[in-house]
Amino acid sequence: MQENLSPTVFDVRALGAAGDGVTDDTAVLQAAIDSAAAVQGIVFIPPGRYLTGPLHGAPKIRLTGAANFSFREPGGSVLVLKPGCEAKALLDITFAYGISIDNLCLVGDGIEADRLVHGIGIFKEDYGKQEDTPCIDHCRIERFSGDAIHLQRIWCFSVRHCSCCFCGGAGILVRGWDGFILDNWLSGNRGAGYAAYDENASVTLTGNRIEWNRSGGIVARGGAKYNVTGNYIDRSGCAGMDIQGGSDFAVTGNVIYRSGKPEWTTDPATSAHLILRSVAGVSFCGNSLAVGRDDGGKGSWSPSTGMVLDSLTDCVVANNVLHNGATENLVLEAGSMENCSILNNMGSVYDIS
């Protein structure tokens, strides 16, 4: 993309951004976003390291670059948050209806930063009258003190092919509904890989690798209408999947491995692959659950329990495999089961002695 390619394409290098990791490029980057907003255009960020303060998105624009990242490192088009910034997020897309963000790496100033800063954020006091519809695709978002992606009162969204990693909060935190979370790495966060603690519904989680997250793999409180299919959930600090106080989840074809890492939690009740508590209308079928320890044969074997089932109504938990599924109990029925089918959950307790 050259400077005169199109009056609707804004190359930040052509506009004066240095991209050297030293020069403050905030003003140029924000000016490009504002110019694109006037014509519903594209902001192109060529490969480089752009030191920046907080940026504010705009409706119906596209922020794009060339993100050439690996599992361990960012590369290509990298936005680096200036240390000590007063910001809610590096990229605030509140009210940026219809924004597309792709092929960028966003790097925070570390999980021990004094302020809670997220990578990409939406911060709304109410849901408003229209769908947000951000599309976040092929981005790497790492080392923020808060969440990699923080969506507060979101209404319609997709996150695909992204690496949300090594943050002080969650990989993706959702308060809202109507979302697609597909084919992502949610790795090494101090919070959960996916977290929803307030109202949440109508989310599809498919084909994600959710691993080494201290507060759990997938955590949903009071959620409804979820489709959770084909995810790999590995070495969570708490439960691999923790669903409480909600209804109508279809969960199938997931692998949940070595949950409840003891070194990361002091609550033995979270040492489980699955916690279902006070839920209704949940189908948990055709999943594979197994114990494990840290890579290289290090650390403690976990979890102690395969599945914790407590106060269920109209649920089916069936045909799951727990080969070497837990160190103590495969299935723990801790509360009432009203009109439920709990059967054919075949497996074996793993002897760690």
Side-chain angles (χ1 to χ4, degrees):
M1 294 185 183
Q2 301 301 317
E3 181 178 2
N4 298 319
L5 179 63
S6 165
T8 60
V9 178
F10 300 87
D11 183 329
V12 299
R13 284 292 184 93
L15 295 172
D20 58 8
V22 177
T23 305
D24 186 344
D25 287 322
T26 309
V28 176
L29 293 168
Q30 189 62 59
I33 291 171
D34 296 342
S35 297
V39 292
Q40 297 183 11
I42 297 172
V43 176
F44 177 57
I45 303 173
R49 290 182 68 87
Y50 299 84
L51 188 66
T52 182
L55 300 171
H56 296 270
K60 297 181 181 178
I61 68 168
R62 179 183 175 195
L63 303 179
T64 188
N68 307 316
F69 57 84
S70 67
F71 183 85
R72 295 179 180 269
E73 297 177 337
S77 305
V78 183
L79 303 179
V80 181
L81 183 67
K82 293 192 301 182
C85 277
E86 300 240 348
K88 290 183 177 180
L90 189 160
L91 181 57
D92 186 335
I93 57 171
T94 306
F95 305 124
Y97 301 112
I99 191 171
S100 293
I101 305 160
D102 62 87
N103 286 283
L104 296 176
C105 293
L106 283 68
V107 179
D109 61 348
I111 60 175
E112 304 295 348
D114 293 336
R115 295 180 59 84
L116 188 66
V117 181
H118 309 293
I120 296 174
I122 285 179
F123 311 94
K124 291 162 58 181
E125 295 184 0
D126 58 58
Y127 285 94
K129 297 182 179 180
Q130 65 173 297
E131 302 86 348
D132 298 280
T133 58
C135 295
I136 305 171
D137 201 348
H138 199 252
C139 290
R140 179 183 172 93
I141 307 162
E142 65 166 293
R143 303 190 190 283
F144 288 89
S145 54
D147 308 317
I149 299 176
H150 180 96
L151 304 176
Q152 190 68 232
R153 297 187 176 88
I154 182 72
W155 180 15
C156 229
F157 66 96
S158 69
V159 181
R160 305 182 305 170
H161 319 305
C162 291
S163 178
C164 300
C165 54
F166 314 131
C167 290
I172 301 175
L173 183 139
V174 171
R175 180 178 187 177
W177 37 74
D178 299 346
F180 294 91
I181 299 174
L182 313 174
D183 190 23
N184 301 284
W185 286 333
L186 310 179
S187 305
N189 300 290
R190 288 193 175 182
Y194 169 85
Y197 300 110
D198 297 288
E199 65 273 12
N200 59 101
S202 305
V203 177
T204 296
L205 290 126
T206 299
N208 301 287
R209 185 177 177 91
I210 305 171
E211 58 181 3
W212 295 87
N213 298 289
R214 293 199 177 200
S215 298
I218 295 173
V219 179
R221 299 284 187 270
K225 310 300 188 297
Y226 271 68
N227 186 343
V228 183
T229 307
N231 300 283
Y232 185 93
I233 305 172
D234 183 15
R235 208 45 171 157
S236 305
C238 297
M241 192 175 298
D242 186 346
I243 302 170
Q244 301 190 41
S247 66
D248 306 309
F249 280 66
V251 183
T252 188
N254 301 281
V255 173
I256 309 179
Y257 176 43
R258 53 182 181 176
S259 306
K261 178 175 164 63
E263 293 82 2
W264 284 352
T265 181
T266 58
D267 184 359
T270 65
S271 183
H273 294 302
L274 171 70
I275 297 174
L276 289 180
R277 179 169 289 123
S278 301
V279 296
V282 173
S283 171
F284 186 87
C285 301
N287 301 283
S288 178
L289 292 66
V291 302
R293 61 199 303 192
D294 291 356
D295 297 344
K298 299 178 181 178
S300 304
W301 293 94
S302 66
S304 59
T305 303
M307 299 187 290
V308 177
L309 310 178
D310 184 359
S311 303
L312 310 187
T313 303
D314 299 336
C315 293
V316 175
V317 180
N319 301 323
N320 299 289
V321 175
L322 296 96
H323 172 63
N324 292 331
T327 62
E328 297 180 15
N329 305 294
L330 293 182
V331 181
L332 178 61
E333 296 186 20
S336 63
M337 304 288 153
E338 182 179 343
N339 195 32
C340 294
S341 179
I342 315 297
L343 76 166
N344 296 335
N345 298 297
M346 312 304 293
S348 53
V349 172
Y350 183 71
D351 185 359
I352 63 175
S353 61

